[in-house]
Amino acid sequence: MDMALTPEDREIRERARAFTQAHLFPHELEMDRTGTLRPEVVKSIEQAVRAARLNAVNHAMDVSGQGMSMVQQCLVNEECGKATGELWAYVNQPPLPLRDATADQIERFLKPACNLDLHIAYSITEANAGSDTSAVTTTAVKDGGDWMLNGEKWFVSGINYCTVVMVHAHVDGDPDKPAVFMVDRDTPGLTVGHSPRFMMGGVDEHPEMTLKDVRVGNDRLLGKVGDGLDITKEWFVEARLAIAARCCGMGVRAAEEATSFVVNRKQFGQPLADFQGVEFMLAVMATRIMAAKSLLYRIAAEIDAGLERKLIHAKASAAKLYCSEEMGRVVDTALQLHGGRGLIRDYAVERLYRDIRVERIWEGTSEIQKLIIAGQIKKRGLGVYSELS
Ligand SMILES: Cc1cc2nc3c(=O)[nH]c(=O)nc-3n(C[C@H](O)[C@H](O)[C@H](O)COP(=O)(O)OP(=O)(O)OC[C@H]3O[C@@H](n4cnc5c(N)ncnc54)[C@H](O)[C@@H]3O)c2cc1C
């Protein structure tokens, strides 16, 4: 089994690492202190994303993406994920299902999004439809040749700077007719409401959004009526792999910061790193990182080798579950190793500690990933997870 990176993979990793260090890390404290970045800074980051050829790494070159393999996408997400304050969100990845859009939709939405000229949010969740997406009550009703959308969405990440929102609705209120619509942010009837403050500050706000008689043309329907759940699931799968990769980046950065700290900090007349209790913590962090990355990159390599779509869904859940849970433990240990300094917001571990918590919740909680995995075991057998393919 060959898990070695190619020279091209290594070049991409180094490019993403250099970009993150030069263009994301320097803005972390401004983001943490003010909760936002100045427009000129955002512009300079977006220019740097383009210059580093890191925009739309998840899309093919003929739609203005970078045409990267899944292993390469994970390398980019791991490196950019090291930045706190969700600064990785500037390294845009337009939702994957758009690759199956109509030619017109690809020209209007996907290509500009790949070029960072258009930003897209994705809204599924509602007050009473969280883990259970079938409980969505946002409706789409045909009105002449158009669609009228009505409903209320929650946690619409990035609507503060997006230009288009993908809305998951039920046609005629029928859960068997899910559909996804591309809605311009400034369409009459679409209003952004309460924007709660979250434990992690970052690029995205996650407000509520109301749709009241929002009229969109039939050209705004993605795929067909009834395709909505498959479209949303495809987006979940790609988001889960990206989360797993970012979590690995967070774990690596936290462990590096902690290692450097305990090598340099002396107590009881010697570096902390020389106490066996501390050595054990370093060893456990390193082993957890190695296990998480081994899982993630094995799945990524399987996807690049042509893994069946249903199995990608099954394995992405395992990657998200394991990487978010285990890297959460690594970040916790790294903070502990910093002592009181670990609670000071100027230290990266403090911000990583706040940032990583949401990774066990969004795009399906850990419990939902476990339900998916258990369902796959019952349907296909344990071999999906236990056998090497
Ligand atoms: C910062 C942030 C940004 C987000 N951005 C977006 C976005 O851009 N678009 C979007 O559509 N959504 C977004 N979400 C919503 C997110 O996907 C949901 O919060 C998540 O899916 C969980 O839903 P919920 O919060 O309603 O929790 P619930 O579904 O109410 O779950 C509460 C608890 O019950 C557990 N639980 C639920 N069902 C089961 C079960 N069957 N068995 C065992 N345990 C169960 C859950 O694991 C959880 O621990 C965002 C959320 C956050 C926090």
Side-chain angles (χ1 to χ4, degrees):
M1 183 190 275
D2 183 7
M3 290 288 282
L5 297 183
T6 66
E8 188 192 5
D9 296 341
R10 275 197 284 274
E11 186 278 324
I12 287 170
R13 180 181 61 189
E14 295 317 310
R15 189 156 22 108
R17 187 171 290 172
F19 161 83
T20 303
Q21 287 172 358
H23 299 285
L24 298 185
F25 285 174
H27 303 298
E28 289 180 314
L29 292 182
E30 180 180 348
M31 173 56 83
D32 192 54
R33 285 176 189 151
T34 66
T36 185
L37 291 184
R38 286 160 291 140
E40 64 270 24
V41 173
V42 174
K43 211 167 167 196
S44 77
I45 293 175
E46 290 188 342
Q47 276 165 358
V49 172
R50 284 192 201 96
R53 287 172 287 122
L54 294 173
N55 50 308
V57 297
N58 58 335
H59 282 283
M61 290 176 108
D62 61 356
V63 293
S64 307
Q66 301 298 336
M68 288 193 191
S69 68
M70 186 51 76
V71 166
Q72 292 168 345
Q73 292 176 43
C74 287
L75 290 168
V76 170
N77 285 323
E78 182 186 339
E79 290 306 322
C80 298
K82 290 177 182 173
T84 59
E86 286 178 358
L87 292 177
W88 44 262
Y90 289 121
V91 187
N92 70 322
Q93 291 176 23
L96 194 59
L98 286 174
R99 69 182 169 181
D100 299 321
T102 63
D104 173 58
Q105 289 169 336
I106 286 175
E107 289 301 322
R108 279 161 76 189
F109 305 117
L110 181 55
K111 286 188 182 175
C114 288
N115 285 318
L116 280 150
D117 294 327
L118 183 149
H119 297 284
I120 300 175
Y122 203 136
S123 72
I124 307 147
T125 306
E126 301 178 0
N128 293 311
S131 300
D132 180 6
T133 50
S134 70
V136 159
T137 56
T138 295
T139 57
V141 175
K142 207 77 195 261
D143 185 43
D146 295 338
W147 293 95
M148 292 291 262
L149 305 185
N150 280 283
E152 192 182 278
K153 295 292 186 183
W154 273 42
F155 299 115
V156 189
S157 292
I159 197 160
N160 46 315
Y161 68 88
C162 84
T163 26
V164 173
V165 195
M166 291 170 73
V167 177
H168 182 108
H170 288 165
V171 170
D172 302 330
D174 182 349
D176 290 333
K177 292 196 266 180
V180 174
F181 295 87
M182 311 289 298
V183 182
D184 288 338
R185 165 78 178 75
D186 58 4
T187 311
L190 188 159
T191 48
V192 177
H194 176 54
S195 184
R197 291 188 68 219
F198 286 82
M199 65 187 282
M200 69 296 173
V203 174
D204 286 345
E205 288 182 29
H206 315 280
E208 293 164 24
M209 174 182 84
T210 303
L211 303 152
K212 176 126 184 52
D213 294 335
V214 170
R215 179 181 288 278
V216 293
N218 196 44
D219 57 343
R220 297 306 183 107
L221 172 65
L222 198 58
K224 302 188 303 297
V225 171
D227 288 351
L229 194 56
D230 287 338
I231 291 170
T232 292
K233 259 191 192 167
E234 188 178 20
W235 180 69
F236 277 148
V237 167
E238 98 158 314
R240 285 168 190 165
L241 289 167
I243 286 172
R246 285 202 310 267
C247 285
C248 288
M250 291 190 227
V252 169
R253 183 173 182 199
E256 280 174 352
E257 297 271 345
T259 304
S260 155
F261 183 82
V262 296
V263 164
N264 291 305
R265 169 114 175 125
K266 285 188 179 160
Q267 287 292 281
F268 304 101
Q270 67 179 63
L272 290 175
D274 291 344
F275 289 102
Q276 195 181 50
V278 170
E279 287 175 327
F280 283 5
M281 290 159 90
L282 297 180
V284 170
M285 282 196 298
T287 308
R288 285 190 159 131
I289 289 169
M290 192 178 173
K293 286 187 61 167
S294 301
L295 173 67
L296 172 68
Y297 284 96
R298 175 186 147 190
I299 295 171
E302 287 178 352
I303 293 172
D304 288 336
L307 190 67
E308 195 192 324
R309 209 171 158 130
K310 284 184 177 156
L311 292 179
I312 297 178
H313 178 231
K315 294 191 180 195
S317 286
K320 193 215 180 229
L321 173 66
Y322 193 80
C323 295
S324 63
E325 295 273 344
E326 286 299 287
M327 295 306 96
R329 293 188 178 100
V330 166
V331 171
D332 184 85
T333 304
L335 186 149
Q336 187 70 15
L337 283 169
H338 278 74
R341 289 165 177 77
L343 301 175
I344 298 175
R345 295 173 78 121
D346 293 349
Y347 282 75
V349 284
E350 189 276 344
R351 300 191 303 278
L352 289 166
Y353 186 82
R354 277 183 287 127
D355 284 356
I356 204 162
R357 189 62 183 83
V358 73
E359 308 289 10
R360 286 159 56 190
I361 293 183
W362 58 10
E363 322 313 355
T365 62
S366 288
E367 292 69 38
I368 294 305
Q369 306 313 321
K370 286 177 191 169
L371 287 181
I372 293 170
I373 295 164
Q376 292 292 325
I377 293 169
K378 287 190 276 182
K379 203 188 274 179
R380 298 170 204 280
L382 183 66
V384 169
Y385 299 99
S386 64
E387 293 291 323
L388 292 175
S389 55

